Amino acid sequence: MLHTILLSLSPMFFVLSLGFYAGKRQRVDNVHVESLNSLLMRFALPCSLFLTTANASLGSLHQQLPLFVLLVLSMLLLFGLSYALERLLWRQKPPLAAMQACTVALPNYAAVGLPLLATVMSPAESLAVAVAIIAGSVVISPLTLFLLQGKPASAAASDHLPLLRTLLNILRNPVVLAPLLGSLLAVLQWPLPDYLRAAFSMMGLAVGGVALFVTGLLVSAQPFRLDWHIVLGALLKNILHPALVYGLALWLALPRELTQALVLLAAIPSGFFGILFGVSLRLPYALSGATLLCSTVLGIPTLVMTIALLPAL
């Protein structure tokens, strides 16, 4: 068990630490991260999502449907709870509340999910990770972008053009569009030629390392700050999310192996999508950055505990 935990967590925190060190020592600019953001969110991650979904069989996609539905349901519940707390309790403006809700509700599937599930469970679980990324990409990401880019309240209710333009901008986002196109190819059973598969794979292989490095880089730019606002966000992510998923899985009487995969995915610390969306719109991300840092550090004991408890689930 100790070997499994070390094998699954040490590479993740090693690359995170490299990014943190590079940012703190100014080896890499940790403030102006637009270029790395574009590399990850517009090229590497979309290539990986497209390839994984396009290579999936129709049967395997159908088998992952319960995982998709339950993860979407749990993330929406957590997003709604976090957004409501930000608006009602902390009096945050809608864009900042949306950015924080995305940070709390959307785990770092892109960076942590694949190596974690491949080590703890089996390499065959890569499709489950892809489905988890898709769930976040086609539901939570568009919802966050909509709240970030939504039309002002002063706009006329009858004017549908701003709303339509916002929806089109969301659908054009590569992180949203790529898995939709890949899933369409899988449903139509149109196999990718080998040369295209190799081309997309070369770019997609960069996702894990770059995503973890960028996460460490973003975390390094945050001053150490700890208050109940930040701690609550981290606890919602690291404790409530896996507990919520486990409760839903028991209620739906899902198979044991699927329940274990769901709980492990939900136990992954906060992701960086909310922050990167905010960075691209030049929004302040100190709160979300501090929550990401707290969740990542808290993720060491909570992931260890989750991995140790998995056999008993």
Side-chain angles (χ1 to χ4, degrees):
M1 178 59 68
L2 179 61
H3 178 262
T4 301
I5 292 172
L6 288 174
L7 191 61
S8 58
L9 298 184
S10 55
M12 179 182 81
F13 285 104
F14 172 72
V15 181
L16 273 171
S17 300
L18 280 181
F20 187 86
Y21 170 81
K24 276 296 183 187
R25 298 299 298 269
Q26 291 299 302
R27 299 291 191 268
V28 180
D29 189 351
N30 61 359
V31 177
H32 303 97
V33 296
E34 290 84 359
S35 296
L36 285 173
N37 180 17
S38 293
L39 168 64
L40 182 63
M41 303 292 282
R42 294 188 173 276
F43 298 98
L45 185 56
C47 284
S48 177
L49 291 174
F50 175 78
L51 183 63
T52 303
T53 50
N55 281 342
S57 67
L58 190 58
S60 59
L61 284 177
H62 185 265
Q63 288 175 357
Q64 298 295 330
L65 187 59
L67 183 141
F68 177 86
V69 172
L70 197 144
L71 282 179
V72 166
L73 179 59
S74 68
M75 288 189 293
L76 283 175
L77 288 172
L78 202 58
F79 187 100
L81 174 61
S82 178
Y83 186 83
L85 288 173
E86 293 300 319
R87 295 285 289 135
L88 300 175
L89 183 60
W90 308 108
R91 304 295 181 185
Q92 294 280 0
K93 294 180 179 179
L96 298 182
M99 190 162 58
Q100 175 70 353
C102 181
T103 302
V104 169
L106 187 55
N108 203 347
Y109 295 135
V112 181
L114 237 121
L116 184 64
L117 263 73
T119 306
V120 175
M121 301 189 72
S122 75
E125 296 296 334
S126 60
L127 183 57
V129 180
V131 170
I133 296 173
I134 293 166
S137 299
V138 303
V139 179
I140 302 300
S141 293
L143 177 60
T144 305
L145 288 168
F146 178 78
L147 291 170
L148 289 174
Q149 301 177 10
K151 63 179 181 180
S154 59
S158 59
D159 185 5
H160 298 295
L161 285 179
L163 176 61
L164 182 60
R165 195 175 299 115
T166 298
L167 292 174
L168 288 175
N169 285 337
I170 291 169
L171 286 174
R172 284 205 300 261
N173 191 301
V175 174
V176 177
L177 185 60
L180 290 177
L181 291 177
S183 299
L184 179 62
L185 290 183
V187 169
L188 294 175
Q189 300 184 40
W190 289 352
L192 280 177
D194 289 342
Y195 56 88
L196 283 181
R197 191 179 295 116
F200 280 102
S201 177
M202 182 173 289
M203 195 66 201
L205 287 173
V207 170
V210 173
L212 284 168
F213 190 88
V214 170
T215 302
L217 204 61
L218 289 169
V219 165
S220 74
Q222 307 308 311
F224 181 76
R225 172 188 164 198
L226 200 61
D227 56 35
W228 281 111
H229 193 174
I230 294 162
V231 170
L232 179 60
L235 291 175
L236 287 175
K237 174 70 220 62
N238 292 39
I239 305 295
L240 180 61
H241 196 186
L244 176 63
V245 163
Y246 183 57
L248 289 171
L250 286 181
W251 180 53
L252 296 172
L254 295 181
R256 182 169 180 264
E257 188 173 338
L258 179 57
T259 299
Q260 290 176 330
L262 281 163
V263 170
L264 192 56
L265 285 167
I268 293 172
S270 292
F272 49 80
F273 274 32
I275 295 174
L276 292 185
F277 289 147
V279 167
S280 65
L281 295 173
R282 302 188 184 281
L283 293 171
Y285 62 92
L287 172 63
S288 296
T291 303
L292 173 64
L293 173 59
C294 185
S295 175
T296 302
V297 173
L298 184 62
I300 299 173
T302 56
L303 276 175
V304 169
M305 189 185 307
T306 303
I307 294 170
L309 290 174
L310 276 184
L313 298 183

